Amino acid sequence: MQAADLDLLIQAAEQAGDIACRYTGPTAKRWDKPDGAGPVTEADLAVNAYLEDHLQNARPSYGWLSEESADSDLRLTKDCVFIIDPIDGTRSFAEGSRTWAHSFAIAQQGHITHAVVYLPQRDLMFTASSGGGSFCNGRQLEVSAHNDWNTANILAPKPNLAPEHWHTNESPSFQRHFRPSLAYRLASVASGKFDAMMTLRASWEWDIAAGDLLIREAGGVTSDRTGQALRFNTADKKLNGVLGANQTIHQDLQEALRDVSL
């Protein structure tokens, strides 16, 4: 791991934003991936091609995991690994929304050490490094201090409120909000704009990796839906849901949820 890794990710994010913004979302060529894996556009592929070339040339000893690249077990042998989502919120991008993001992270031995979430059309650059704090456009971030999850503002998909997910067999009373990009949801919790985020379905590592560090470096807690610490660069590339919040709300959410595996 190199001290300049965060600068490398920031510079790559800025260039990725320039590439993506050359495309007009609704008119960009779009395909559906096999097996219901979601859409991909020519902008996703253009950004990924740049990143795969630029980042791997800059750090040839690092492994590579990207949503838009063929996977290789070779990354599992690497001490450090890039975990990349070229465009998080592709559906949002294709619809012409401004809430999509670039989400880039570096994991060392399964733990995220450097992270960038960049929303070029909203001019928001979220950055974090292990032990160095979490920032947005240079302003240091801190998670919300709100401590009552029942009245909290929480980013969550609507199906997460279904009674079967909760010990009470009733839908929770918190105020639900939504953003299409998981990386942006995590960054919004790190900034204190929302009190927590949750997703109960299996989640890809590239959607979560950068936001995980943003929240933790802003004083918050992250875990899977059962409270287990998140670990990255795994063979199946998936996490068992994600919870992110301050310590009090995180614990309350975890205790209120049914302990099930997805």
Side-chain angles (χ1 to χ4, degrees), residues 67-132:
E67 180 176 11
E68 308 303 346
S69 298
D71 192 20
S72 167
D73 289 343
L74 181 62
R75 66 179 170 80
L76 300 175
T77 69
K78 301 293 186 177
D79 185 59
C80 292
V81 179
F82 289 109
I83 303 179
I84 302 295
D85 193 344
I87 296 180
D88 183 42
T90 295
R91 285 187 179 88
S92 179
F93 174 84
E95 291 167 359
S97 170
R98 300 185 300 128
T99 54
W100 50 274
H102 304 296
S103 182
F104 309 157
I106 295 172
Q108 183 176 29
Q109 297 180 358
H111 303 285
I112 306 303
T113 57
H114 298 86
V116 168
V117 172
Y118 180 42
L119 283 77
Q121 293 191 327
R122 290 187 177 271
D123 192 27
L124 295 172
M125 177 73 78
F126 297 91
T127 63
S129 56
S130 184

Short mmCIF file of all heavy atoms in Angstrom, two decimals, residues 67-132:
data_model
loop_
_atom_site.label_atom_id
_atom_site.label_comp_id
_atom_site.label_asym_id
_atom_site.label_seq_id
_atom_site.Cartn_x
_atom_site.Cartn_y
_atom_site.Cartn_z
N GLU A 67 -16.96 -4.14 -11.42
CA GLU A 67 -18.25 -4.63 -11.91
C GLU A 67 -18.21 -4.93 -13.39
O GLU A 67 -18.89 -5.84 -13.87
CB GLU A 67 -19.35 -3.60 -11.62
CG GLU A 67 -20.71 -4.06 -12.11
CD GLU A 67 -21.85 -3.12 -11.77
OE1 GLU A 67 -21.57 -1.99 -11.34
OE2 GLU A 67 -23.01 -3.54 -11.95
N GLU A 68 -17.43 -4.18 -14.14
CA GLU A 68 -17.48 -4.29 -15.60
C GLU A 68 -16.27 -5.02 -16.19
O GLU A 68 -16.03 -4.95 -17.39
CB GLU A 68 -17.61 -2.90 -16.23
CG GLU A 68 -18.73 -2.05 -15.69
CD GLU A 68 -20.11 -2.70 -15.79
OE1 GLU A 68 -20.25 -3.70 -16.51
OE2 GLU A 68 -21.04 -2.22 -15.13
N SER A 69 -15.51 -5.72 -15.37
CA SER A 69 -14.37 -6.50 -15.86
C SER A 69 -14.58 -7.98 -15.56
O SER A 69 -15.21 -8.34 -14.56
CB SER A 69 -13.06 -6.07 -15.18
OG SER A 69 -12.75 -4.72 -15.43
N ALA A 70 -14.05 -8.83 -16.42
CA ALA A 70 -14.06 -10.27 -16.14
C ALA A 70 -13.24 -10.52 -14.87
O ALA A 70 -12.16 -9.96 -14.68
CB ALA A 70 -13.47 -11.03 -17.31
N ASP A 71 -13.79 -11.34 -13.99
CA ASP A 71 -13.13 -11.59 -12.71
C ASP A 71 -12.07 -12.68 -12.86
O ASP A 71 -12.14 -13.53 -13.75
CB ASP A 71 -14.16 -12.01 -11.66
CG ASP A 71 -13.60 -12.00 -10.25
OD1 ASP A 71 -12.56 -11.33 -10.02
OD2 ASP A 71 -14.18 -12.65 -9.37
N SER A 72 -11.09 -12.62 -11.97
CA SER A 72 -10.02 -13.62 -11.93
C SER A 72 -9.69 -13.96 -10.49
O SER A 72 -9.60 -13.05 -9.65
CB SER A 72 -8.77 -13.10 -12.64
OG SER A 72 -7.65 -13.92 -12.37
N ASP A 73 -9.48 -15.22 -10.20
CA ASP A 73 -9.10 -15.64 -8.85
C ASP A 73 -7.73 -15.12 -8.46
O ASP A 73 -7.36 -15.19 -7.28
CB ASP A 73 -9.11 -17.17 -8.75
CG ASP A 73 -10.53 -17.74 -8.77
OD1 ASP A 73 -11.47 -16.97 -8.55
OD2 ASP A 73 -10.66 -18.95 -9.00
N LEU A 74 -6.98 -14.60 -9.41
CA LEU A 74 -5.65 -14.07 -9.11
C LEU A 74 -5.72 -12.96 -8.05
O LEU A 74 -4.82 -12.83 -7.22
CB LEU A 74 -4.99 -13.54 -10.39
CG LEU A 74 -3.57 -12.97 -10.24
CD1 LEU A 74 -2.60 -14.04 -9.76
CD2 LEU A 74 -3.10 -12.38 -11.57
N ARG A 75 -6.82 -12.18 -8.06
CA ARG A 75 -6.94 -11.09 -7.08
C ARG A 75 -6.92 -11.61 -5.64
O ARG A 75 -6.52 -10.89 -4.73
CB ARG A 75 -8.21 -10.29 -7.35
CG ARG A 75 -9.49 -11.04 -7.13
CD ARG A 75 -10.73 -10.20 -7.39
NE ARG A 75 -11.94 -11.00 -7.41
CZ ARG A 75 -12.59 -11.42 -6.33
NH1 ARG A 75 -12.17 -11.10 -5.12
NH2 ARG A 75 -13.69 -12.15 -6.44
N LEU A 76 -7.38 -12.86 -5.44
CA LEU A 76 -7.45 -13.41 -4.09
C LEU A 76 -6.06 -13.66 -3.51
O LEU A 76 -5.92 -13.82 -2.29
CB LEU A 76 -8.25 -14.72 -4.10
CG LEU A 76 -9.69 -14.60 -4.59
CD1 LEU A 76 -10.34 -15.98 -4.68
CD2 LEU A 76 -10.50 -13.69 -3.68
N THR A 77 -5.05 -13.66 -4.35
CA THR A 77 -3.68 -13.87 -3.88
C THR A 77 -2.96 -12.56 -3.59
O THR A 77 -1.82 -12.59 -3.12
CB THR A 77 -2.87 -14.66 -4.93
OG1 THR A 77 -2.66 -13.82 -6.09
CG2 THR A 77 -3.61 -15.92 -5.36
N LYS A 78 -3.60 -11.43 -3.88
CA LYS A 78 -2.95 -10.13 -3.77
C LYS A 78 -3.17 -9.51 -2.39
O LYS A 78 -4.26 -9.60 -1.82
CB LYS A 78 -3.49 -9.18 -4.84
CG LYS A 78 -3.28 -9.66 -6.27
CD LYS A 78 -1.81 -9.69 -6.65
CE LYS A 78 -1.64 -10.01 -8.12
NZ LYS A 78 -0.20 -9.97 -8.53
N ASP A 79 -2.16 -8.84 -1.88
CA ASP A 79 -2.27 -8.14 -0.61
C ASP A 79 -3.19 -6.92 -0.73
O ASP A 79 -4.02 -6.66 0.14
CB ASP A 79 -0.88 -7.70 -0.14
CG ASP A 79 -0.90 -7.07 1.23
OD1 ASP A 79 -1.34 -7.74 2.19
OD2 ASP A 79 -0.48 -5.91 1.35
N CYS A 80 -3.06 -6.19 -1.83
CA CYS A 80 -3.89 -5.01 -2.08
C CYS A 80 -4.68 -5.21 -3.37
O CYS A 80 -4.17 -5.77 -4.34
CB CYS A 80 -3.02 -3.76 -2.21
SG CYS A 80 -2.21 -3.25 -0.68
N VAL A 81 -5.92 -4.71 -3.37
CA VAL A 81 -6.82 -4.92 -4.50
C VAL A 81 -7.63 -3.65 -4.75
O VAL A 81 -8.17 -3.06 -3.81
CB VAL A 81 -7.78 -6.10 -4.24
CG1 VAL A 81 -8.73 -6.30 -5.42
CG2 VAL A 81 -7.01 -7.38 -3.97
N PHE A 82 -7.72 -3.23 -6.01
CA PHE A 82 -8.68 -2.19 -6.40
C PHE A 82 -10.08 -2.81 -6.44
O PHE A 82 -10.26 -3.90 -7.02
CB PHE A 82 -8.36 -1.64 -7.79
CG PHE A 82 -7.12 -0.79 -7.87
CD1 PHE A 82 -5.98 -1.26 -8.51
CD2 PHE A 82 -7.10 0.48 -7.33
CE1 PHE A 82 -4.84 -0.48 -8.62
CE2 PHE A 82 -5.96 1.28 -7.42
CZ PHE A 82 -4.83 0.80 -8.06
N ILE A 83 -11.06 -2.11 -5.86
CA ILE A 83 -12.46 -2.53 -5.95
C ILE A 83 -13.23 -1.36 -6.57
O ILE A 83 -13.35 -0.30 -5.96
CB ILE A 83 -13.03 -2.93 -4.58
CG1 ILE A 83 -12.18 -4.05 -3.97
CG2 ILE A 83 -14.49 -3.37 -4.72
CD1 ILE A 83 -12.65 -4.51 -2.60
N ILE A 84 -13.76 -1.58 -7.77
CA ILE A 84 -14.18 -0.48 -8.63
C ILE A 84 -15.61 -0.67 -9.12
O ILE A 84 -15.97 -1.73 -9.63
CB ILE A 84 -13.25 -0.39 -9.87
CG1 ILE A 84 -11.78 -0.20 -9.44
CG2 ILE A 84 -13.72 0.70 -10.81
CD1 ILE A 84 -11.48 1.10 -8.74
N ASP A 85 -16.41 0.38 -8.99
CA ASP A 85 -17.68 0.46 -9.71
C ASP A 85 -17.59 1.68 -10.62
O ASP A 85 -17.64 2.82 -10.15
CB ASP A 85 -18.87 0.60 -8.76
CG ASP A 85 -20.19 0.38 -9.46
OD1 ASP A 85 -20.21 0.42 -10.70
OD2 ASP A 85 -21.21 0.16 -8.77
N PRO A 86 -17.40 1.46 -11.93
CA PRO A 86 -17.19 2.60 -12.84
C PRO A 86 -18.31 3.63 -12.77
O PRO A 86 -18.06 4.83 -12.74
CB PRO A 86 -17.11 1.93 -14.21
CG PRO A 86 -16.65 0.55 -13.93
CD PRO A 86 -17.29 0.18 -12.62
N ILE A 87 -19.57 3.16 -12.77
CA ILE A 87 -20.72 4.04 -12.56
C ILE A 87 -21.69 3.30 -11.65
O ILE A 87 -22.27 2.28 -12.04
CB ILE A 87 -21.41 4.43 -13.88
CG1 ILE A 87 -20.47 5.26 -14.77
CG2 ILE A 87 -22.70 5.22 -13.59
CD1 ILE A 87 -21.08 5.70 -16.10
N ASP A 88 -21.86 3.80 -10.45
CA ASP A 88 -22.83 3.23 -9.51
C ASP A 88 -24.13 4.01 -9.66
O ASP A 88 -24.15 5.23 -9.48
CB ASP A 88 -22.31 3.33 -8.08
CG ASP A 88 -23.25 2.68 -7.09
OD1 ASP A 88 -23.76 1.59 -7.40
OD2 ASP A 88 -23.49 3.25 -6.02
N GLY A 89 -25.20 3.28 -10.00
CA GLY A 89 -26.46 3.94 -10.32
C GLY A 89 -26.62 4.05 -11.83
O GLY A 89 -27.02 5.11 -12.34
N THR A 90 -26.30 2.97 -12.55
CA THR A 90 -26.37 3.01 -14.01
C THR A 90 -27.78 3.32 -14.50
O THR A 90 -27.95 4.06 -15.47
CB THR A 90 -25.87 1.67 -14.60
OG1 THR A 90 -24.48 1.52 -14.29
CG2 THR A 90 -26.04 1.64 -16.12
N ARG A 91 -28.79 2.76 -13.85
CA ARG A 91 -30.16 3.07 -14.26
C ARG A 91 -30.42 4.57 -14.14
O ARG A 91 -31.04 5.18 -15.01
CB ARG A 91 -31.16 2.29 -13.41
CG ARG A 91 -31.27 0.81 -13.75
CD ARG A 91 -32.40 0.14 -13.01
NE ARG A 91 -32.50 -1.27 -13.35
CZ ARG A 91 -31.85 -2.23 -12.73
NH1 ARG A 91 -31.03 -1.94 -11.73
NH2 ARG A 91 -31.99 -3.50 -13.10
N SER A 92 -29.95 5.17 -13.05
CA SER A 92 -30.12 6.60 -12.85
C SER A 92 -29.40 7.38 -13.95
O SER A 92 -29.94 8.34 -14.51
CB SER A 92 -29.58 7.00 -11.47
OG SER A 92 -29.69 8.37 -11.25
N PHE A 93 -28.18 6.96 -14.27
CA PHE A 93 -27.42 7.60 -15.35
C PHE A 93 -28.19 7.52 -16.66
O PHE A 93 -28.32 8.52 -17.38
CB PHE A 93 -26.06 6.92 -15.48
CG PHE A 93 -25.25 7.40 -16.66
CD1 PHE A 93 -24.47 8.54 -16.56
CD2 PHE A 93 -25.28 6.71 -17.87
CE1 PHE A 93 -23.73 9.00 -17.64
CE2 PHE A 93 -24.55 7.15 -18.96
CZ PHE A 93 -23.78 8.30 -18.84
N ALA A 94 -28.71 6.33 -16.98
CA ALA A 94 -29.39 6.12 -18.25
C ALA A 94 -30.69 6.92 -18.34
O ALA A 94 -31.15 7.24 -19.44
CB ALA A 94 -29.67 4.64 -18.46
N GLU A 95 -31.27 7.25 -17.19
CA GLU A 95 -32.50 8.04 -17.17
C GLU A 95 -32.24 9.54 -17.22
O GLU A 95 -33.18 10.34 -17.26
CB GLU A 95 -33.30 7.69 -15.92
CG GLU A 95 -33.87 6.27 -15.94
CD GLU A 95 -34.38 5.82 -14.59
OE1 GLU A 95 -34.26 6.63 -13.61
OE2 GLU A 95 -34.88 4.69 -14.49
N GLY A 96 -30.97 9.92 -17.16
CA GLY A 96 -30.63 11.34 -17.21
C GLY A 96 -30.56 12.01 -15.86
O GLY A 96 -30.45 13.24 -15.77
N SER A 97 -30.59 11.23 -14.78
CA SER A 97 -30.47 11.79 -13.43
C SER A 97 -29.02 12.20 -13.15
O SER A 97 -28.09 11.75 -13.83
CB SER A 97 -30.94 10.76 -12.40
OG SER A 97 -30.62 11.19 -11.10
N ARG A 98 -28.83 13.00 -12.11
CA ARG A 98 -27.49 13.45 -11.73
C ARG A 98 -26.96 12.73 -10.50
O ARG A 98 -25.90 13.09 -9.97
CB ARG A 98 -27.49 14.96 -11.44
CG ARG A 98 -27.92 15.82 -12.64
CD ARG A 98 -27.79 17.30 -12.33
NE ARG A 98 -28.61 17.69 -11.19
CZ ARG A 98 -28.16 18.35 -10.12
NH1 ARG A 98 -26.89 18.71 -10.06
NH2 ARG A 98 -28.98 18.69 -9.14
N THR A 99 -27.67 11.70 -10.03
CA THR A 99 -27.30 11.10 -8.74
C THR A 99 -26.45 9.83 -8.87
O THR A 99 -26.28 9.11 -7.90
CB THR A 99 -28.56 10.77 -7.92
OG1 THR A 99 -29.45 9.97 -8.70
CG2 THR A 99 -29.27 12.04 -7.52
N TRP A 100 -25.91 9.54 -10.04
CA TRP A 100 -24.99 8.42 -10.18
C TRP A 100 -23.60 8.82 -9.68
O TRP A 100 -23.30 10.01 -9.55
CB TRP A 100 -24.94 7.96 -11.64
CG TRP A 100 -24.70 9.07 -12.61
CD1 TRP A 100 -25.64 9.88 -13.18
CD2 TRP A 100 -23.43 9.53 -13.10
NE1 TRP A 100 -25.03 10.81 -14.01
CE2 TRP A 100 -23.69 10.61 -13.98
CE3 TRP A 100 -22.11 9.12 -12.89
CZ2 TRP A 100 -22.67 11.29 -14.64
CZ3 TRP A 100 -21.09 9.79 -13.54
CH2 TRP A 100 -21.37 10.86 -14.41
N ALA A 101 -22.78 7.82 -9.40
CA ALA A 101 -21.48 8.09 -8.79
C ALA A 101 -20.41 7.14 -9.32
O ALA A 101 -20.70 6.04 -9.78
CB ALA A 101 -21.58 7.94 -7.27
N HIS A 102 -19.17 7.59 -9.24
CA HIS A 102 -18.02 6.71 -9.38
C HIS A 102 -17.61 6.26 -7.98
O HIS A 102 -17.53 7.09 -7.06
CB HIS A 102 -16.85 7.44 -10.03
CG HIS A 102 -17.17 8.04 -11.36
ND1 HIS A 102 -17.52 7.29 -12.46
CD2 HIS A 102 -17.20 9.35 -11.77
CE1 HIS A 102 -17.74 8.09 -13.48
NE2 HIS A 102 -17.57 9.34 -13.10
N SER A 103 -17.38 4.97 -7.81
CA SER A 103 -17.05 4.44 -6.48
C SER A 103 -15.79 3.59 -6.58
O SER A 103 -15.81 2.50 -7.16
CB SER A 103 -18.22 3.60 -5.95
OG SER A 103 -17.95 3.12 -4.65
N PHE A 104 -14.69 4.09 -6.01
CA PHE A 104 -13.39 3.43 -6.11
C PHE A 104 -12.81 3.20 -4.71
O PHE A 104 -12.88 4.08 -3.85
CB PHE A 104 -12.39 4.30 -6.88
CG PHE A 104 -12.87 4.79 -8.22
CD1 PHE A 104 -12.30 5.93 -8.77
CD2 PHE A 104 -13.86 4.13 -8.93
CE1 PHE A 104 -12.72 6.41 -10.01
CE2 PHE A 104 -14.28 4.60 -10.17
CZ PHE A 104 -13.71 5.74 -10.71
N ALA A 105 -12.23 2.03 -4.50
CA ALA A 105 -11.62 1.73 -3.20
C ALA A 105 -10.41 0.84 -3.40
O ALA A 105 -10.26 0.16 -4.41
CB ALA A 105 -12.64 1.06 -2.27
N ILE A 106 -9.57 0.84 -2.38
CA ILE A 106 -8.45 -0.11 -2.29
C ILE A 106 -8.60 -0.88 -1.00
O ILE A 106 -8.81 -0.29 0.07
CB ILE A 106 -7.10 0.61 -2.34
CG1 ILE A 106 -6.90 1.29 -3.70
CG2 ILE A 106 -5.95 -0.36 -2.05
CD1 ILE A 106 -5.68 2.20 -3.77
N ALA A 107 -8.56 -2.20 -1.11
CA ALA A 107 -8.61 -3.06 0.07
C ALA A 107 -7.23 -3.67 0.31
O ALA A 107 -6.55 -4.08 -0.65
CB ALA A 107 -9.63 -4.17 -0.12
N GLN A 108 -6.84 -3.74 1.56
CA GLN A 108 -5.60 -4.43 1.94
C GLN A 108 -5.97 -5.52 2.93
O GLN A 108 -6.54 -5.26 3.99
CB GLN A 108 -4.60 -3.48 2.57
CG GLN A 108 -3.27 -4.17 2.91
CD GLN A 108 -2.23 -3.21 3.45
OE1 GLN A 108 -2.58 -2.22 4.06
NE2 GLN A 108 -0.96 -3.51 3.21
N GLN A 109 -5.70 -6.76 2.53
CA GLN A 109 -6.03 -7.92 3.36
C GLN A 109 -7.49 -7.88 3.83
O GLN A 109 -7.80 -8.16 4.98
CB GLN A 109 -5.07 -8.01 4.54
CG GLN A 109 -3.63 -8.22 4.11
CD GLN A 109 -2.65 -8.32 5.28
OE1 GLN A 109 -3.04 -8.19 6.44
NE2 GLN A 109 -1.39 -8.56 4.97
N GLY A 110 -8.38 -7.50 2.92
CA GLY A 110 -9.80 -7.56 3.19
C GLY A 110 -10.42 -6.32 3.79
O GLY A 110 -11.64 -6.25 3.94
N HIS A 111 -9.60 -5.32 4.13
CA HIS A 111 -10.10 -4.11 4.77
C HIS A 111 -9.84 -2.90 3.86
O HIS A 111 -8.76 -2.77 3.28
CB HIS A 111 -9.43 -3.90 6.13
CG HIS A 111 -9.62 -5.05 7.06
ND1 HIS A 111 -10.80 -5.30 7.71
CD2 HIS A 111 -8.77 -6.05 7.43
CE1 HIS A 111 -10.69 -6.37 8.45
NE2 HIS A 111 -9.47 -6.86 8.30
N ILE A 112 -10.82 -2.00 3.76
CA ILE A 112 -10.68 -0.84 2.89
C ILE A 112 -9.75 0.19 3.53
O ILE A 112 -9.93 0.57 4.69
CB ILE A 112 -12.05 -0.21 2.59
CG1 ILE A 112 -13.01 -1.25 2.02
CG2 ILE A 112 -11.89 0.95 1.60
CD1 ILE A 112 -12.51 -1.96 0.78
N THR A 113 -8.78 0.64 2.75
CA THR A 113 -7.78 1.59 3.26
C THR A 113 -7.89 2.97 2.62
O THR A 113 -7.48 3.96 3.21
CB THR A 113 -6.36 1.05 3.03
OG1 THR A 113 -6.18 0.80 1.62
CG2 THR A 113 -6.14 -0.25 3.81
N HIS A 114 -8.40 3.04 1.38
CA HIS A 114 -8.56 4.31 0.68
C HIS A 114 -9.85 4.24 -0.12
O HIS A 114 -10.20 3.18 -0.67
CB HIS A 114 -7.39 4.58 -0.28
CG HIS A 114 -6.07 4.70 0.42
ND1 HIS A 114 -5.28 3.60 0.72
CD2 HIS A 114 -5.40 5.78 0.89
CE1 HIS A 114 -4.19 4.01 1.34
NE2 HIS A 114 -4.23 5.33 1.45
N ALA A 115 -10.54 5.38 -0.21
CA ALA A 115 -11.85 5.36 -0.87
C ALA A 115 -12.19 6.71 -1.46
O ALA A 115 -11.87 7.76 -0.89
CB ALA A 115 -12.93 4.96 0.13
N VAL A 116 -12.88 6.66 -2.60
CA VAL A 116 -13.41 7.85 -3.26
C VAL A 116 -14.80 7.54 -3.78
O VAL A 116 -15.00 6.50 -4.43
CB VAL A 116 -12.51 8.30 -4.43
CG1 VAL A 116 -13.22 9.34 -5.28
CG2 VAL A 116 -11.19 8.86 -3.91
N VAL A 117 -15.75 8.40 -3.50
CA VAL A 117 -17.06 8.39 -4.14
C VAL A 117 -17.24 9.78 -4.76
O VAL A 117 -17.24 10.78 -4.04
CB VAL A 117 -18.19 8.08 -3.14
CG1 VAL A 117 -19.56 8.27 -3.82
CG2 VAL A 117 -18.06 6.67 -2.59
N TYR A 118 -17.41 9.81 -6.08
CA TYR A 118 -17.45 11.08 -6.79
C TYR A 118 -18.72 11.18 -7.61
O TYR A 118 -19.04 10.28 -8.40
CB TYR A 118 -16.23 11.19 -7.70
CG TYR A 118 -16.13 12.47 -8.51
CD1 TYR A 118 -16.43 13.71 -7.96
CD2 TYR A 118 -15.70 12.43 -9.84
CE1 TYR A 118 -16.32 14.88 -8.71
CE2 TYR A 118 -15.58 13.58 -10.60
CZ TYR A 118 -15.90 14.81 -10.02
OH TYR A 118 -15.79 15.95 -10.77
N LEU A 119 -19.46 12.26 -7.40
CA LEU A 119 -20.65 12.56 -8.19
C LEU A 119 -20.33 13.78 -9.06
O LEU A 119 -20.48 14.93 -8.62
CB LEU A 119 -21.85 12.85 -7.30
CG LEU A 119 -22.53 11.64 -6.64
CD1 LEU A 119 -21.73 11.14 -5.45
CD2 LEU A 119 -23.95 11.97 -6.21
N PRO A 120 -19.85 13.58 -10.27
CA PRO A 120 -19.37 14.71 -11.08
C PRO A 120 -20.46 15.73 -11.41
O PRO A 120 -20.17 16.92 -11.51
CB PRO A 120 -18.81 14.04 -12.34
CG PRO A 120 -19.44 12.70 -12.39
CD PRO A 120 -19.65 12.30 -10.97
N GLN A 121 -21.69 15.28 -11.59
CA GLN A 121 -22.75 16.22 -11.95
C GLN A 121 -23.36 16.92 -10.75
O GLN A 121 -24.21 17.79 -10.91
CB GLN A 121 -23.81 15.51 -12.78
CG GLN A 121 -23.27 15.07 -14.13
CD GLN A 121 -24.35 14.60 -15.07
OE1 GLN A 121 -25.36 14.03 -14.67
NE2 GLN A 121 -24.15 14.83 -16.35
N ARG A 122 -22.91 16.55 -9.57
CA ARG A 122 -23.29 17.28 -8.36
C ARG A 122 -22.08 17.94 -7.68
O ARG A 122 -22.21 18.54 -6.62
CB ARG A 122 -23.99 16.35 -7.37
CG ARG A 122 -25.37 15.92 -7.84
CD ARG A 122 -26.11 15.13 -6.77
NE ARG A 122 -27.45 14.77 -7.19
CZ ARG A 122 -28.53 15.53 -7.01
NH1 ARG A 122 -28.40 16.71 -6.42
NH2 ARG A 122 -29.71 15.13 -7.43
N ASP A 123 -20.92 17.80 -8.31
CA ASP A 123 -19.68 18.39 -7.80
C ASP A 123 -19.43 17.98 -6.35
O ASP A 123 -19.10 18.80 -5.50
CB ASP A 123 -19.72 19.92 -7.93
CG ASP A 123 -18.35 20.55 -7.69
OD1 ASP A 123 -17.35 19.87 -7.95
OD2 ASP A 123 -18.30 21.72 -7.24
N LEU A 124 -19.57 16.68 -6.08
CA LEU A 124 -19.33 16.14 -4.74
C LEU A 124 -18.22 15.10 -4.82
O LEU A 124 -18.37 14.08 -5.49
CB LEU A 124 -20.60 15.50 -4.18
CG LEU A 124 -21.80 16.43 -3.93
CD1 LEU A 124 -23.03 15.61 -3.57
CD2 LEU A 124 -21.47 17.42 -2.83
N MET A 125 -17.12 15.37 -4.13
CA MET A 125 -16.00 14.44 -4.08
C MET A 125 -15.81 14.00 -2.62
O MET A 125 -15.32 14.75 -1.78
CB MET A 125 -14.72 15.11 -4.59
CG MET A 125 -13.47 14.23 -4.49
SD MET A 125 -13.41 12.89 -5.71
CE MET A 125 -12.90 13.80 -7.19
N PHE A 126 -16.24 12.77 -2.33
CA PHE A 126 -16.07 12.18 -1.01
C PHE A 126 -14.79 11.37 -0.99
O PHE A 126 -14.55 10.56 -1.90
CB PHE A 126 -17.25 11.27 -0.67
CG PHE A 126 -18.58 11.96 -0.58
CD1 PHE A 126 -19.40 12.06 -1.69
CD2 PHE A 126 -19.03 12.49 0.62
CE1 PHE A 126 -20.64 12.69 -1.62
CE2 PHE A 126 -20.26 13.12 0.71
CZ PHE A 126 -21.07 13.22 -0.41
N THR A 127 -13.98 11.56 0.04
CA THR A 127 -12.70 10.84 0.12
C THR A 127 -12.46 10.37 1.55
O THR A 127 -12.92 10.98 2.51
CB THR A 127 -11.53 11.74 -0.30
OG1 THR A 127 -11.42 12.85 0.62
CG2 THR A 127 -11.72 12.27 -1.71
N ALA A 128 -11.72 9.28 1.68
CA ALA A 128 -11.34 8.79 3.00
C ALA A 128 -10.09 7.93 2.88
O ALA A 128 -9.87 7.26 1.86
CB ALA A 128 -12.47 7.97 3.63
N SER A 129 -9.30 7.95 3.92
CA SER A 129 -8.17 7.04 4.05
C SER A 129 -8.15 6.51 5.48
O SER A 129 -8.60 7.18 6.41
CB SER A 129 -6.84 7.72 3.72
OG SER A 129 -6.65 8.86 4.53
N SER A 130 -7.67 5.31 5.65
CA SER A 130 -7.70 4.66 6.95
C SER A 130 -6.89 5.46 7.97
O SER A 130 -5.70 5.71 7.78
CB SER A 130 -7.12 3.24 6.83
OG SER A 130 -7.21 2.56 8.06
N GLY A 131 -7.56 5.92 9.03
CA GLY A 131 -6.91 6.72 10.05
C GLY A 131 -6.78 8.18 9.70
O GLY A 131 -6.28 8.98 10.51
N GLY A 132 -7.25 8.58 8.50
CA GLY A 132 -7.06 9.95 8.05
C GLY A 132 -8.32 10.77 7.98
O GLY A 132 -8.28 11.93 7.57
#
